[in-house]
Amino acid sequence: QSNDLVFLQEIKNRIHSCSHKYLIISSEYFEFFTDEGVQLVKDFLSGYDVDVIVYVKSQDQAIISMYNEEVKKGVTLLPFSEYCDKNFERFDYYSFYKRWAIKFGHKHVLVKPFAQNLFHQNDLVKDFFNIFCTKQLVLDGVGIVNKSVSRLSLELTRVLYSSGHKIYDHRKEYSK
């Protein structure tokens, strides 16, 4: 669409005019990108050195976390066991890795465990920035903003949403 092209050109102009050494583009929704979507990212960033940094939770923790978020937001009303069956492929990290590594090169894709005890100074943000620079950055005001709720709260939320709330299909919406 023409609006998309105008928007992308504006972003590209801003990137070209930027004097900073690094540009960070981040989204949890990169997991939904198809091969074609990853190619579009590569094409958009052609001419730049690109490193892809991926943090992954262990699959058991990841699916619990994702279920928690999707029930809180009314995205799913499925019981947990059915949710696991339906979303199993989302946690195939090797396929995700291959999709990005084929386009950007294996040496440009870094996969790190999402585990606080393995983060630099036990801090995710510090760990991420530690990949690129050695001097300590001052990062004030960064805290936990996506906290899980208890199992009881989660189940209550799921049941309440099931009384007629429209289900939001994030795969369709964000894969665009």
Side-chain angles (χ1 to χ4, degrees):
Q1 293 186 15
S2 62
N3 286 344
D4 293 343
L5 295 175
V6 170
F7 173 75
L8 289 174
Q9 189 56 51
E10 182 180 329
I11 295 298
K12 206 166 229 186
N13 292 342
R14 287 184 183 196
I15 292 171
H16 287 309
S17 68
C18 184
S19 62
H20 298 289
K21 186 174 180 178
Y22 298 106
L23 169 69
I24 299 169
I25 301 173
S26 174
S27 175
E28 291 182 0
Y29 298 102
F30 287 143
E31 77 172 280
F32 299 113
F33 280 37
T34 61
D35 291 339
E36 295 79 19
V38 176
Q39 184 64 50
L40 287 171
V41 172
K42 182 174 175 46
D43 294 345
F44 181 75
L45 297 172
S46 67
Y48 295 95
D49 292 326
V50 176
D51 289 310
V52 178
I53 313 301
V54 182
Y55 284 89
V56 294
K57 290 183 178 181
S58 62
Q59 282 94 340
D60 61 329
Q61 291 301 310
I63 201 162
I64 290 169
S65 176
M66 188 65 61
Y67 181 72
N68 193 297
E69 285 303 305
E70 291 186 9
V71 169
K72 284 192 305 188
K73 294 174 183 170
V75 173
T76 188
L77 303 177
L78 295 173
F80 184 66
S81 61
E82 289 178 42
Y83 179 84
C84 290
D85 291 341
K86 184 178 177 189
N87 290 281
F88 184 78
E89 74 282 351
R90 287 179 69 184
F91 304 97
D92 177 1
Y93 296 150
Y94 182 65
S95 292
F96 175 88
Y97 168 81
K98 281 193 324 185
R99 200 166 31 255
W100 289 83
I102 286 169
K103 303 295 184 188
F104 288 95
H106 293 279
K107 68 179 186 176
H108 292 284
V109 178
L110 174 62
V111 179
K112 297 194 70 171
F114 188 89
Q116 185 173 1
N117 64 321
L118 298 176
F119 297 153
H120 178 72
Q121 296 181 354
N122 294 322
D123 184 290
L124 172 62
V125 175
K126 289 179 182 177
D127 190 78
F128 179 81
F129 284 103
N130 190 55
I131 295 167
F132 302 104
C133 56
T134 55
K135 72 177 182 177
Q136 181 61 45
L137 300 171
V138 177
L139 302 166
D140 292 328
V142 177
I144 298 173
V145 294
N146 194 13
K147 195 166 175 89
S148 295
V149 298
S150 72
R151 184 175 178 185
L152 178 61
S153 297
L154 192 63
E155 185 61 15
L156 178 61
T157 302
R158 186 185 73 78
V159 170
L160 290 174
Y161 271 131
S162 67
S163 64
H165 182 73
K166 177 184 177 282
I167 299 301
Y168 184 79
D169 188 342
H170 63 281
R171 290 180 196 209
K172 289 179 184 173
E173 295 301 318
Y174 288 106
S175 63
K176 293 177 186 175

